[in-house]
């Protein structure tokens, strides 16, 4: 079986700065890939090119064996750490808007039965993320956790197959984060999603992922730090047993990742 998403010799450069080099990846449908790595390693850049927001400098990205078109297709949804939602729209308005853009790309407005259908779908999605009682709240009236639930609903309403998450829980309190972990795991199963999540939290990466990918530079030039890019230096599939051990441990070091 071929992979859902394949990156072949992908490079991302900004001017003379090489951010990602020689990235080769195959991501299977249904996997939950956690991506970790130092700040500036190019994790967000990688998500942007998978989303289709940016085109790699060279290399190919295949979705179902077909080269990615340079646009954000409905098969990929994204949630950022913050500011994914529109402040001037209610929760329901934010989610309906996603459907309006898709179904009426020129006017972004639906009317009559179509609008009623969109509202029903959006309401269902908001219930699925735990915001069934908050349909008419505006983002400013919501906690950080609720805003992220809304951002997830907004991303999922178009029924993407791949959900891209860029440090989605990084700004949340630990207790709220645990609730969000339960939610995202549930949605991943219920909607048969493939998830690619960037996180700075190694425990989170191991707890949620079926695979943990570390992006970093293999080589460095101390006199010209921009000359070499980062790539996947560790790529660890996680078995259930390994996950249980990792969760029980106080700290997980990258050494441990490399040795397994
Ligand atoms: N549009 C751009 N133009 C120029 N340089 C850029 C651009 N976007 C990103 N970069 C540079 O590419 C490098 C990687 O950035 P990126 O945001 O992908 O890193 P990251 O791994 O997500 O970091 P963080 O963990 O801090 O979010 C950085 O050095 C950044 O300055
Ligand atoms: Mg980033």
């Amino acid at each position: 079986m071929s992979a859902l998403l394949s990156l072949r010799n992908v490079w991302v450069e900004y001017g003379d700065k090489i951010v990602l080099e020689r990235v080769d990846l195959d991501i299977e449908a249904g996997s939950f890939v956690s991506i970790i790595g130092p700040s500036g390693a190019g994790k967000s850049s990688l998500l942007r090119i998978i989303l289709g927001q940016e085109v790699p400098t060279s290399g190919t990205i295949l979705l179902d064996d077909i080269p990615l078109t340079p646009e954000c297709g409905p098969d990929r949804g994204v949630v950022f750490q913050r500011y994914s939602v529109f402040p001037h729209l209610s929760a329901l308005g934010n989610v309906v808007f996603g459907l309006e853009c898709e179904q009426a790309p020129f006017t972004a407005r639906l009317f009559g039965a179509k609008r009623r259908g969109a509202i029903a779908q959006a309401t269902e999605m908001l219930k699925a993320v735990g915001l069934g009682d908050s349909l008419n709240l505006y983002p400013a009236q919501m906690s950080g956790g609720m805003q992220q639930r809304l951002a997830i609903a907004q991303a999922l309403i178009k029924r993407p197959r791949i959900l891209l998450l860029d440090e989605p829980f990084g700004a949340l309190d630990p207790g709220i984060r645990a609730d969000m972990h339960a939610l995202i795991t549930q949605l991943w199963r219920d909607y048969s999603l493939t998830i690619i999540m960037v996180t700075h939290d190694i425990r989170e990466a191991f707890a949620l992922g079926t695979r943990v990918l570390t992006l970093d530079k293999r080589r460095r030039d101390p006199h010209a730090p921009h000359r070499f890019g980062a790539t996947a230096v560790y790529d660890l599939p996680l078995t259930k047993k390994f996950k249980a051990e990792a969760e029980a441990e106080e700290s997980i070091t990258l050494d441990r990742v490399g040795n397994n």
Side-chain angles (χ1 to χ4, degrees):
M1 201 186 75
S2 69
L4 172 62
L5 188 75
S6 294
L7 280 73
R8 302 271 157 78
N9 196 15
V10 165
W11 294 65
V12 173
E13 297 166 36
Y14 297 110
D16 67 348
K17 182 186 171 87
I18 301 176
V19 173
L20 292 173
E21 61 179 44
R22 234 173 273 143
V23 178
D24 284 299
L25 272 182
D26 282 311
I27 293 176
E28 301 299 330
S31 51
F32 192 136
V33 183
S34 299
I35 298 181
I36 56 178
S39 186
K43 304 180 295 297
S44 297
S45 304
L46 181 69
L47 287 196
R48 281 200 300 273
I49 58 165
I50 293 174
L51 186 62
Q53 219 172 42
E54 272 179 39
V55 182
T57 313
S58 65
T60 325
I61 303 179
L62 302 169
L63 183 64
D64 284 329
D65 294 325
I66 298 166
L68 211 64
T69 48
E71 63 201 28
C72 310
D75 36 26
R76 282 149 290 147
V78 67
V79 175
F80 302 104
Q81 185 172 13
R82 284 195 189 130
Y83 312 121
S84 290
V85 298
F86 300 111
H88 61 288
L89 293 176
S90 67
L92 190 60
N94 261 286
V95 181
V96 168
F97 184 70
L99 285 174
E100 288 183 315
C101 284
E102 188 180 48
Q103 295 173 20
F106 299 110
T107 56
R109 289 290 288 168
L110 293 172
F111 299 98
K114 278 196 170 161
R115 182 162 174 82
R116 285 194 295 279
I119 289 174
Q121 264 190 68
T123 304
E124 269 314 297
M125 188 53 79
L126 284 161
K127 278 187 195 155
V129 300
L131 291 178
D133 295 331
S134 311
L135 303 182
N136 297 316
L137 291 188
Y138 283 80
Q141 299 169 305
M142 298 177 146
S143 68
M146 290 166 81
Q147 289 187 29
Q148 288 312 77
R149 286 173 189 268
L150 176 56
I152 292 168
Q154 197 189 45
L156 290 185
I157 194 68
K158 293 177 214 166
R159 298 302 162 98
R161 291 190 295 159
I162 304 178
L163 182 63
L164 303 168
L165 304 170
D166 199 349
E167 301 184 45
F169 315 129
L172 304 177
D173 294 338
I176 305 291
R177 219 187 272 199
D179 294 344
M180 298 302 285
H181 290 172
L183 173 69
I184 205 70
T185 303
Q186 185 73 41
L187 294 170
W188 172 55
R189 294 206 184 108
D190 288 353
Y191 293 95
S192 308
L193 295 166
T194 303
I195 295 186
I196 306 175
M197 176 188 73
V198 169
T199 177
H200 273 117
D201 180 341
I202 294 185
R203 292 184 74 88
E204 179 172 278
F206 277 80
L208 297 183
T210 56
R211 175 177 176 189
V212 175
L213 204 74
T214 308
L215 282 189
D216 204 353
K217 293 184 189 215
R218 266 192 211 288
R219 27 182 206 161
R220 279 168 219 277
D221 180 344
H223 304 293
H226 59 280
R227 263 196 55 211
F228 298 119
T231 194
V233 289
Y234 298 115
D235 186 355
L236 185 75
L238 298 180
T239 59
K240 284 214 168 98
K241 179 168 175 284
F242 184 89
K243 277 172 76 83
E245 279 175 24
E247 262 168 68
E249 234 171 77
E250 274 307 301
S251 68
I252 302 158
T253 64
L254 287 182
D255 253 79
R256 166 91 195 260
V257 177
N259 290 337
N260 273 268

